[in-house]
Amino acid sequence: MNMHVSDAAPDPAIRASTRGARVVLRGLEKSFGAHRVLHGIDIDIPAGQFVAIVGRSGCGKSTLLRLIAGLDQPAAGTVDPGGEIVRLMFQEPRLLPWQRVLANVEVGLAHADRQTRTRRSQDVLAQVGLTGRGGDWPAVLSGGQKQRVALARALVGQPTLLALDEPLGALDALTRIEMQELIETVWREKGFTAIVVTHDVTEAVALADRILVVEDGRIAMDVQVDVPRPRRRGDAAAAAIEGRILDRLLTRQATFSA
Amino acid sequence: MKRFLPWIVPGLLILVWQAAGQTGMLRAQILPMPTAVASAAWTLARTGELWSHVEISAWRALTGFAIGGGIGFALGMANGLSRLSEAVLDSTLQMVRNIPHLALIPLVILWFGVDEQAKIFLVALGVFFPIYVNTLHGVRSVDRHLLEMGRAYGMTGRQIFLRIVLPGALPSVFVGLRYGLGIMWLTLIVAETISASSGIGYMAMNAREFMLVDVVVFAILIYAALGKLADSIARWLERVCLAWNPVYAKAR
């Protein structure tokens, strides 16, 4: 699989002002029944930033993403996704099995005319490394390829905000790394704001500009990842950040079991 | 070679049957020889009697199927999509479903006499339930994740129905369709045998009065052939419509 970071990727400052959405959350709360899942969430995400939300399972990180993406409504507080086009990528590819790959990508571009739809969808398929697979049924694709189609579907509508809910959770280790690189590449090219939920701290450090650690429904840590891109696996600065976050997550667990 | 394997047993059976008739072990009044049945078929086909009976039977079957299947499909969709519609209708339908539709024959004869309506009504009633139940089940089992994806990607209600609900329910609808086709022929055979003045069932009952056993046997074979034909068409449709599904794609 052949991936490259385009030399034409614009300067972060410029593309931030044009393509990304500034996301603002104020006093966000969400409960399911008597259980308060999220409370007191105030986050300001500048346009074009790549944010990772990490935390233990059940900490409310996926709920937070669903609120940002508008899939759920908050009990209190406001969400301003900062733009019209919010796209979601789920843990499962969620492709329509009865539509061929190209038609599945076109789902992300419902309002354009047929010609534009087909042309743009083919372009995006090429971008995710699936040139010529447009005529296949999803059933014949591997898990990683399906997730690429899902990524293409999310990208084809030129989102200002891309929300990813553990998009790589079900993939094997090598495919994961490939997909991480692919996501980083398109993010650098397009300049949208990206928010990825993950339980994998290594993945968060590899991808994000900023990591939010969610614990018991609140933001427990807000960490800037100032490691230059493209990032090398095993970078010392990155490892230090990863260590800090893991310490925090694991210490909490230790106090629980004590 | 593999293509002929399924035909070996039926072929042998026919040979044994013919031999039993030839040697006089099997009297023609009980079961006429295959050659006798074939010649009866030839005579019926030449006089045109056969085709008029097949035509009227097929018309009854398909009309009843279209009416019962259409209503079953529509109600299955409605009850699958709308909680209100289901709350109002489903338990009533489930109660009626438990009445064997053939038990209504005396009542149906009282209502419609031995006219066409009686047979079409019975066929429609018999076909209705398998299609209704399977359509409802199909709509219910559509992947919630896909519905959520459709909404998140800004699909309209109409698009969600056409692109997600309908194709998602289709495999189950086909199960109902094939099951309904079986019930369609079964109902028609019973209805035509009991009361009719035309059709394959009438042809068989009429032949019985004149002890034309070869015609009776032939009528039974026609039912078998028509049933098989309907099932083959349904399977072909299934393969075309569900080509995306590896289960059906492999069967090609």
Side-chain angles (χ1 to χ4, degrees), chain B residues 123-140:
Chain B
V123 171
L125 192 64
V127 164
F128 170 82
F129 287 107
I131 302 229
Y132 166 73
V133 169
N134 283 289
T135 305
L136 180 61
H137 173 253
V139 175
R140 276 296 148 69

mmCIF file of all heavy atoms in Angstrom, chain B residues 123-140:
data_model
loop_
_atom_site.group_PDB
_atom_site.id
_atom_site.type_symbol
_atom_site.label_atom_id
_atom_site.label_comp_id
_atom_site.label_asym_id
_atom_site.label_seq_id
_atom_site.Cartn_x
_atom_site.Cartn_y
_atom_site.Cartn_z
ATOM 1 N N VAL B 123 -56.947 -18.498 -1.668
ATOM 2 C CA VAL B 123 -55.521 -18.398 -1.993
ATOM 3 C C VAL B 123 -54.932 -17.142 -1.358
ATOM 4 O O VAL B 123 -53.870 -17.184 -0.704
ATOM 5 C CB VAL B 123 -55.295 -18.375 -3.530
ATOM 6 C CG1 VAL B 123 -53.850 -18.044 -3.844
ATOM 7 C CG2 VAL B 123 -55.687 -19.707 -4.136
ATOM 8 N N ALA B 124 -55.639 -16.016 -1.498
ATOM 9 C CA ALA B 124 -55.133 -14.751 -0.953
ATOM 10 C C ALA B 124 -54.949 -14.858 0.558
ATOM 11 O O ALA B 124 -53.924 -14.435 1.108
ATOM 12 C CB ALA B 124 -56.094 -13.609 -1.294
ATOM 13 N N LEU B 125 -55.920 -15.477 1.222
ATOM 14 C CA LEU B 125 -55.853 -15.613 2.670
ATOM 15 C C LEU B 125 -54.673 -16.501 3.079
ATOM 16 O O LEU B 125 -53.933 -16.189 4.016
ATOM 17 C CB LEU B 125 -57.161 -16.224 3.181
ATOM 18 C CG LEU B 125 -57.397 -16.180 4.687
ATOM 19 C CD1 LEU B 125 -57.518 -14.739 5.158
ATOM 20 C CD2 LEU B 125 -58.663 -16.962 5.051
ATOM 21 N N GLY B 126 -54.478 -17.579 2.329
ATOM 22 C CA GLY B 126 -53.380 -18.493 2.657
ATOM 23 C C GLY B 126 -52.014 -17.865 2.452
ATOM 24 O O GLY B 126 -51.089 -18.068 3.233
ATOM 25 N N VAL B 127 -51.898 -17.067 1.380
ATOM 26 C CA VAL B 127 -50.610 -16.469 1.027
ATOM 27 C C VAL B 127 -50.286 -15.277 1.936
ATOM 28 O O VAL B 127 -49.131 -14.987 2.216
ATOM 29 C CB VAL B 127 -50.647 -16.040 -0.465
ATOM 30 C CG1 VAL B 127 -49.527 -15.083 -0.776
ATOM 31 C CG2 VAL B 127 -50.600 -17.254 -1.353
ATOM 32 N N PHE B 128 -51.352 -14.615 2.394
ATOM 33 C CA PHE B 128 -51.175 -13.391 3.185
ATOM 34 C C PHE B 128 -50.227 -13.572 4.369
ATOM 35 O O PHE B 128 -49.288 -12.809 4.544
ATOM 36 C CB PHE B 128 -52.547 -12.921 3.687
ATOM 37 C CG PHE B 128 -52.483 -11.824 4.707
ATOM 38 C CD1 PHE B 128 -52.331 -10.505 4.310
ATOM 39 C CD2 PHE B 128 -52.548 -12.099 6.070
ATOM 40 C CE1 PHE B 128 -52.256 -9.495 5.244
ATOM 41 C CE2 PHE B 128 -52.467 -11.094 7.014
ATOM 42 C CZ PHE B 128 -52.321 -9.784 6.597
ATOM 43 N N PHE B 129 -50.456 -14.627 5.157
ATOM 44 C CA PHE B 129 -49.752 -14.708 6.439
ATOM 45 C C PHE B 129 -48.243 -14.940 6.332
ATOM 46 O O PHE B 129 -47.478 -14.235 6.986
ATOM 47 C CB PHE B 129 -50.424 -15.727 7.360
ATOM 48 C CG PHE B 129 -51.714 -15.203 7.892
ATOM 49 C CD1 PHE B 129 -52.924 -15.678 7.433
ATOM 50 C CD2 PHE B 129 -51.717 -14.176 8.824
ATOM 51 C CE1 PHE B 129 -54.119 -15.152 7.907
ATOM 52 C CE2 PHE B 129 -52.905 -13.645 9.304
ATOM 53 C CZ PHE B 129 -54.108 -14.140 8.839
ATOM 54 N N PRO B 130 -47.799 -15.894 5.513
ATOM 55 C CA PRO B 130 -46.330 -16.039 5.443
ATOM 56 C C PRO B 130 -45.644 -14.765 4.969
ATOM 57 O O PRO B 130 -44.565 -14.412 5.453
ATOM 58 C CB PRO B 130 -46.116 -17.188 4.459
ATOM 59 C CG PRO B 130 -47.421 -17.441 3.823
ATOM 60 C CD PRO B 130 -48.485 -16.938 4.740
ATOM 61 N N ILE B 131 -46.273 -14.062 4.021
ATOM 62 C CA ILE B 131 -45.636 -12.839 3.514
ATOM 63 C C ILE B 131 -45.686 -11.751 4.572
ATOM 64 O O ILE B 131 -44.697 -11.032 4.804
ATOM 65 C CB ILE B 131 -46.327 -12.390 2.205
ATOM 66 C CG1 ILE B 131 -46.227 -13.531 1.211
ATOM 67 C CG2 ILE B 131 -45.723 -11.079 1.701
ATOM 68 C CD1 ILE B 131 -45.744 -13.201 -0.130
ATOM 69 N N TYR B 132 -46.809 -11.648 5.255
ATOM 70 C CA TYR B 132 -46.933 -10.629 6.305
ATOM 71 C C TYR B 132 -45.896 -10.859 7.410
ATOM 72 O O TYR B 132 -45.132 -9.969 7.763
ATOM 73 C CB TYR B 132 -48.350 -10.658 6.898
ATOM 74 C CG TYR B 132 -48.475 -9.886 8.188
ATOM 75 C CD1 TYR B 132 -48.460 -8.490 8.173
ATOM 76 C CD2 TYR B 132 -48.570 -10.536 9.418
ATOM 77 C CE1 TYR B 132 -48.546 -7.776 9.352
ATOM 78 C CE2 TYR B 132 -48.649 -9.825 10.598
ATOM 79 C CZ TYR B 132 -48.639 -8.447 10.565
ATOM 80 O OH TYR B 132 -48.700 -7.743 11.738
ATOM 81 N N VAL B 133 -45.872 -12.079 7.917
ATOM 82 C CA VAL B 133 -45.001 -12.378 9.058
ATOM 83 C C VAL B 133 -43.529 -12.167 8.696
ATOM 84 O O VAL B 133 -42.765 -11.555 9.447
ATOM 85 C CB VAL B 133 -45.237 -13.833 9.535
ATOM 86 C CG1 VAL B 133 -44.159 -14.247 10.522
ATOM 87 C CG2 VAL B 133 -46.607 -13.971 10.160
ATOM 88 N N ASN B 134 -43.140 -12.618 7.512
ATOM 89 C CA ASN B 134 -41.733 -12.502 7.128
ATOM 90 C C ASN B 134 -41.333 -11.078 6.765
ATOM 91 O O ASN B 134 -40.194 -10.679 6.992
ATOM 92 C CB ASN B 134 -41.420 -13.459 5.979
ATOM 93 C CG ASN B 134 -41.278 -14.881 6.477
ATOM 94 O OD1 ASN B 134 -40.317 -15.214 7.138
ATOM 95 N ND2 ASN B 134 -42.277 -15.700 6.214
ATOM 96 N N THR B 135 -42.266 -10.307 6.180
ATOM 97 C CA THR B 135 -41.954 -8.906 5.897
ATOM 98 C C THR B 135 -41.762 -8.150 7.206
ATOM 99 O O THR B 135 -40.792 -7.399 7.385
ATOM 100 C CB THR B 135 -43.083 -8.253 5.077
ATOM 101 O OG1 THR B 135 -43.305 -9.020 3.905
ATOM 102 C CG2 THR B 135 -42.715 -6.831 4.696
ATOM 103 N N LEU B 136 -42.665 -8.394 8.145
ATOM 104 C CA LEU B 136 -42.567 -7.741 9.454
ATOM 105 C C LEU B 136 -41.234 -8.089 10.118
ATOM 106 O O LEU B 136 -40.503 -7.217 10.594
ATOM 107 C CB LEU B 136 -43.736 -8.207 10.336
ATOM 108 C CG LEU B 136 -43.814 -7.636 11.750
ATOM 109 C CD1 LEU B 136 -43.973 -6.122 11.697
ATOM 110 C CD2 LEU B 136 -44.987 -8.241 12.520
ATOM 111 N N HIS B 137 -40.910 -9.368 10.090
ATOM 112 C CA HIS B 137 -39.645 -9.809 10.686
ATOM 113 C C HIS B 137 -38.454 -9.164 9.972
ATOM 114 O O HIS B 137 -37.489 -8.749 10.597
ATOM 115 C CB HIS B 137 -39.550 -11.334 10.628
ATOM 116 C CG HIS B 137 -38.222 -11.852 11.060
ATOM 117 N ND1 HIS B 137 -37.311 -12.361 10.157
ATOM 118 C CD2 HIS B 137 -37.632 -11.904 12.263
ATOM 119 C CE1 HIS B 137 -36.221 -12.712 10.808
ATOM 120 N NE2 HIS B 137 -36.392 -12.458 12.084
ATOM 121 N N GLY B 138 -38.546 -9.078 8.646
ATOM 122 C CA GLY B 138 -37.462 -8.488 7.857
ATOM 123 C C GLY B 138 -37.227 -7.035 8.229
ATOM 124 O O GLY B 138 -36.086 -6.607 8.422
ATOM 125 N N VAL B 139 -38.300 -6.266 8.340
ATOM 126 C CA VAL B 139 -38.165 -4.850 8.673
ATOM 127 C C VAL B 139 -37.583 -4.710 10.078
ATOM 128 O O VAL B 139 -36.718 -3.878 10.335
ATOM 129 C CB VAL B 139 -39.527 -4.138 8.585
ATOM 130 C CG1 VAL B 139 -39.406 -2.699 9.056
ATOM 131 C CG2 VAL B 139 -40.045 -4.171 7.163
ATOM 132 N N ARG B 140 -38.057 -5.580 10.992
ATOM 133 C CA ARG B 140 -37.577 -5.533 12.364
ATOM 134 C C ARG B 140 -36.087 -5.831 12.459
ATOM 135 O O ARG B 140 -35.392 -5.296 13.313
ATOM 136 C CB ARG B 140 -38.311 -6.586 13.205
ATOM 137 C CG ARG B 140 -39.596 -6.154 13.713
ATOM 138 C CD ARG B 140 -39.405 -4.996 14.684
ATOM 139 N NE ARG B 140 -40.526 -4.122 14.625
ATOM 140 C CZ ARG B 140 -41.720 -4.453 15.063
ATOM 141 N NH1 ARG B 140 -41.926 -5.610 15.608
ATOM 142 N NH2 ARG B 140 -42.715 -3.617 14.936
#
